[in-house]
Every structure is written in C-alpha cells, then in structure tokens.
Amino acid sequence: MSSVPESGPGWGDLLTRDRLGVTIVLAGGTALYAISSYVTASLLPTAIGEIGGARYLAWATTVFVVASIVSSTLVGAMLAARGPVGSYLTGFGLFSIGTVICTVSPSMSLLLVGRAVQGLGGGLLMGLGYAVIHQAYPAALRARAAALVSAMWGVGTFVGPALGGVFAQLGPWRLAFACLAVLTVSVGAIVPIALRGTGRSGHAQRIPAVSLTLLMAAAALVSVAGVLPRGGWTAAGVVAALLVVAGFLTWERRAAVTVLPRLTFVKRSPLRWIYLTMVAVAIGISLENFVPLFAQELGGLAPLAAGFVGAAASLGWTLAQVVSAGAQRPGTVDRLRLAGPVVLTVGLTLTALTQIRHAGLSTLLVWVLCMMIAGAGIGLAWPHLSAAVMASSPDPAEAQQAAAAIGTVQLIATAFGAAISGVLVNLGEPSPLRSARFLEFGLAAIAALGVAAALAAHRAAARTSAQRQPALTQS
C-alpha cells in the first residue's frame, strides 16, 4: 500500500491562472469583513465628536454582528437561488451600500443603518468564503483555501486599526469608510469573471425563520451583555443568551427547515463535535480585544505599540496555518486537530502566568511569545477542522450546507467570546492585573473544553470509519 504524501498541492496552486480570481474573491470578502470590524472600533470615538450619539456607540457593533449572523445562515438558500456569482454580487453590493451610508452619515442613527446593511453583506461574504471552497477547489486544496480565508482575520487585525487610527488622528474619519467602499467595489468587480465557471448549487429550502429569530435574539443578548453594568447583570445577559442558543439547538433538532445540516444531530456523527471544537478555539482569539489595554496599563506602552502587541495572537494563527495547512496524512491531520486546542490552552495559561505590573521589555516580549503560541493553536487546527466539515457528508448539498455553516459558527463564537471576555475583565476590576488573569485563565478553560470536543470528534470519526470498512470489504 502506498503512503499518502505529507504535503499535497502547494500554496501556489491557489494562485494558478484558473484559480487566482476565485482566491482573490473568497479571501477578499473575508478580509473586508475583518477590516470593517476593526476599523469601525478605531473610528467611532472620533466620529461621535462630529455626529453625536455617544450613548449608542455599542450598538454600532451590535447591529453589525446581529445582521451578519442572520445573513450568514441564508448562504445555502442564496447559492441555490442565485449561484456563486449572484450571491457574491449581492454580498459585495450590500456591503458597499452600507459602507457608503456610513461614509455620508450625518447622525449616529443613519450610521447604525449603514452598519446593519454592512453586516447583511458581510455575513454573506463570510459564509460564502467557506461554502464556495467546497465547490471551487479539489479536496486536496480545501484545507489550504480555508487557511487562507481564515488568515484574512489576521490581515484585518493589522490593516483595520492602522487605517482607522490614521484617519481618526488626521481628522477626516469618513475617508476610511470611503477607502473601504472602493476596495469592496474593486473586489466585487471581478466576481463575474472569477466565478464564471461555477454553477448554481446550495441547499434550496424555505428561510428558517424560527432559527433566525432565535439566533438574532441570542446575538443581541450577547452584545447587550457586553455593555451592561458589571457583575450580576452582565452574567445574566450571557446566561440568557446561552439559554436562547440551547433553544435554537433544540428547535434545529426537530424542525423541517434548519440552519445546520441534519448530520449535526445524528448521534454517531462527528460533525457536532467538530463545530464545538471550532467554537472553543474561535473564542480563544477574543483575547485580542483587551490585550492593547493591558499592554498600556501593565506595560506602559503607547497606544500604537500596544495595538501591535494585541496582534501577536493573529500573527501566530497566520504563521501556523501556513505550516499546518499542507498536511495530508490522516494521522497527522488528526493530531493537528487535537493539538490545536491543546496548544491554545497552554499559550493562554502561560500568558496569564506571566502577567505582572510594570512589565519591562523582556516581559513584554515573553507576553508576545505566549500569545503567538496561543494563536498558533488556532492556526494548527482550523484548516483541518474546516476541511473535516466540508468532507462530513457524501451528499454534495449537505456538505455545502455544512461548509456554509462554518461562517455562522465562527460569527456566533466571536460574539459570545467578546461578551464572555467582557464579563471576565469586569470581574477583575478595578485591578488591571486581576482582569488580565481572569480573562486569560477563563479563555484557557474554554479552550480546554475544545480539547474534550476534539477528542470526542476523533472517537466519533473512528467509529464511523470502522462501520464503513466492513461495507467496503463486502463490496
């Protein structure tokens, strides 16, 4: 029996003449979403000085996240109705319209409308980024394509704060949104050419209205929990959101029209455990939301330098993906899926243990290294978790629905991660050292749950493979 090579097609195979366009579209759509998430956070404090509405500042994120989650669940139906070209044009069109509204907004109320429209387009772009991988690339390239798409969050971590910070400091904050609109139109313009060989696909069904309502309520509760007074109110908001998510899963198990594929709820299927592993590792990156604050308060860094320290986890994530995405041997891939949450747990724990007041340069460098280790854990596992989802069913329509749900799962995890991080930081106040340790140990505990989920996925996959083997032998 010939062994499977450790490395299949290389990164260059994503950039061949017949794949370059689709690679730009998939990666560009996710990058625009990530950049928008970070650039808005940098700009809004300056914007409210001109347009007012400080009391609604948190809602600029809330409406964006809620709209994104809702539209990401419609990717399968959109692909069935309009195909990849029409779906991507819709996503880029909505995103550009929302960005233009933000650019010209004379008031916070209109800016919130723009953010909602942006979110509708962004959620489609996020979901399509994974769903179209299943159709546009051969199986051997899907892990690399998924790694490239998810690495765009690292691009957003650098470009977003830099773009927003420069224009906020210079004064004309609206130009940052204008630049984002130009980028959106530029990438969207190549969609008809880049995706012309892809046909209509997806999961044709009615809109899962009840599931969408429950997801929207959960996302809203999570976002509101992040701005409630610390303590009992914040915890109550998170608990309420978790209860709504439990209601969503209960409904999905029994409903005729669903967001998640049916395979998620099949008893012996590994898909549910793969999704749970993805949630656990995606929540871990929430650390980045608060690292710049801790770097300033504990390390005495200037805001710009603190921002780059905050990007250390994304850098580790991106670098690890470059190395791990080429693995092909089943045994190696299985170990990477398990090693990811383990490395993430270790990195977060080390970061917590090394936090001290009045940190010097050497300690800051240790923090950066520990956060890069944590980020590397995500990068080791994510491409292969994504590929496992795409290969979860022999039915192409069901496999694509599962792939489209990756974006929804990631968005939900990001929303919950932000809210849970806010709760943990609030528990440590007024001490920034205690807040940092609560956050990092808390996220490490969640990552450890990801280890358990990865083990459960491995066992379920092994049972499924063992059951298929006799059938293959008989045939």
Side-chain angles (χ1 to χ4, degrees):
M1 181 182 295
S2 61
S3 61
V4 179
E6 187 60 52
S7 294
W11 289 104
D13 292 285
L14 295 177
L15 305 176
T16 59
R17 188 172 182 178
D18 57 335
R19 295 192 184 113
L20 177 60
V22 68
T23 299
I24 292 173
V25 170
L26 269 62
T30 303
L32 286 167
Y33 184 96
I35 292 170
S36 177
S37 300
Y38 289 103
V39 76
T40 305
S42 302
L43 288 177
L44 284 182
T46 301
I48 60 175
E50 177 181 332
I51 64 177
R55 70 177 65 182
Y56 302 112
L57 187 62
W59 284 96
T61 299
T62 300
V63 298
F64 183 77
V65 170
V66 171
S68 298
I69 291 175
V70 169
S71 64
S72 72
T73 64
L74 303 177
V75 167
M78 179 71 74
L79 283 169
R82 304 203 62 192
V85 172
S87 299
Y88 257 112
L89 288 176
T90 300
F92 282 118
L94 287 170
F95 194 87
S96 61
I97 291 170
T99 305
V100 170
I101 293 173
C102 291
T103 304
V104 301
S105 293
S107 65
M108 177 60 80
S109 58
L110 188 58
L111 190 141
L112 292 178
V113 172
R115 288 291 283 165
V117 177
Q118 253 192 344
L120 289 173
L124 286 175
L125 296 177
M126 277 284 294
L128 288 166
Y130 289 105
V132 177
I133 284 175
H134 183 268
Q135 184 177 357
Y137 299 96
L141 270 178
R142 288 173 188 164
R144 288 192 188 274
L148 180 64
V149 168
S150 66
M152 293 302 102
W153 282 94
V155 172
T157 303
F158 283 97
V159 176
L163 182 65
V166 167
F167 285 107
Q169 187 168 337
L170 294 177
W173 58 271
R174 296 177 189 274
L175 288 181
F177 283 120
C179 290
L180 197 59
V182 171
L183 286 172
T184 304
V185 172
S186 300
V187 179
I190 70 171
V191 167
I193 298 174
L195 300 178
R196 63 175 177 264
T198 55
R200 188 170 296 185
S201 61
H203 189 71
Q205 62 172 31
R206 291 174 289 129
I207 294 175
V210 175
S211 294
L212 285 179
T213 301
L214 291 170
L215 276 178
M216 193 162 51
L221 283 168
V222 168
S223 298
V224 170
V227 298
L228 288 173
R230 72 175 186 267
W233 283 108
T234 308
V238 173
V239 170
L242 289 172
L243 290 174
V244 174
V245 169
F248 162 76
L249 294 173
T250 301
W251 174 264
E252 285 272 297
R253 183 187 295 271
R254 302 173 181 176
V257 183
T258 62
V259 171
L260 299 173
R262 290 288 178 199
L263 196 60
T264 309
F265 303 102
V266 174
K267 186 176 181 180
R268 296 185 180 277
S269 169
L271 187 56
R272 73 179 76 180
W273 301 113
I274 297 171
Y275 280 146
L276 284 174
T277 306
M278 298 180 93
V279 168
V281 298
I283 286 177
I285 204 67
S286 302
L287 174 73
E288 288 186 327
N289 295 330
F290 294 92
V291 167
L293 176 64
F294 298 146
Q296 291 178 63
E297 294 185 342
L298 299 177
L301 292 182
L304 182 60
F308 282 107
V309 171
S314 282
L315 180 60
W317 178 357
T318 302
L319 293 176
Q321 286 187 140
V322 171
V323 176
S324 74
Q328 296 287 315
R329 291 177 183 168
T332 302
V333 169
D334 285 343
R335 286 191 289 272
L336 286 170
R337 289 179 194 144
L338 179 59
V342 171
V343 173
L344 175 61
T345 304
V346 171
L348 290 169
T349 302
L350 290 174
T351 304
L353 292 173
T354 56
Q355 297 291 306
I356 60 172
R357 291 187 180 89
H358 311 299
L361 178 59
S362 59
T363 302
L364 286 168
L365 292 175
V366 170
W367 290 355
V368 169
L369 177 61
C370 292
M371 286 184 290
M372 286 185 67
I373 292 172
I378 303 174
L380 290 174
W382 193 269
H384 302 293
L385 292 170
S386 300
V389 171
M390 295 173 196
S392 61
S393 173
D395 178 9
E398 188 173 49
Q400 190 167 62
Q401 187 187 14
I406 294 173
T408 303
V409 168
Q410 185 176 359
L411 289 170
I412 292 172
T414 301
F416 269 91
I420 291 169
S421 296
V423 172
L424 294 169
V425 169
N426 285 341
L427 288 174
E429 290 185 347
S431 167
L433 177 59
R434 191 164 60 243
S435 291
R437 287 177 174 168
F438 278 11
L439 172 64
E440 290 144 9
F441 278 129
L443 294 180
I446 294 172
L449 295 177
V451 177
L455 285 169
H458 175 74
R459 288 194 292 266
R463 285 195 299 267
T464 301
S465 178
Q467 290 170 355
R468 289 177 179 171
Q469 193 62 38
L472 291 173
T473 302
Q474 292 173 6
S475 62

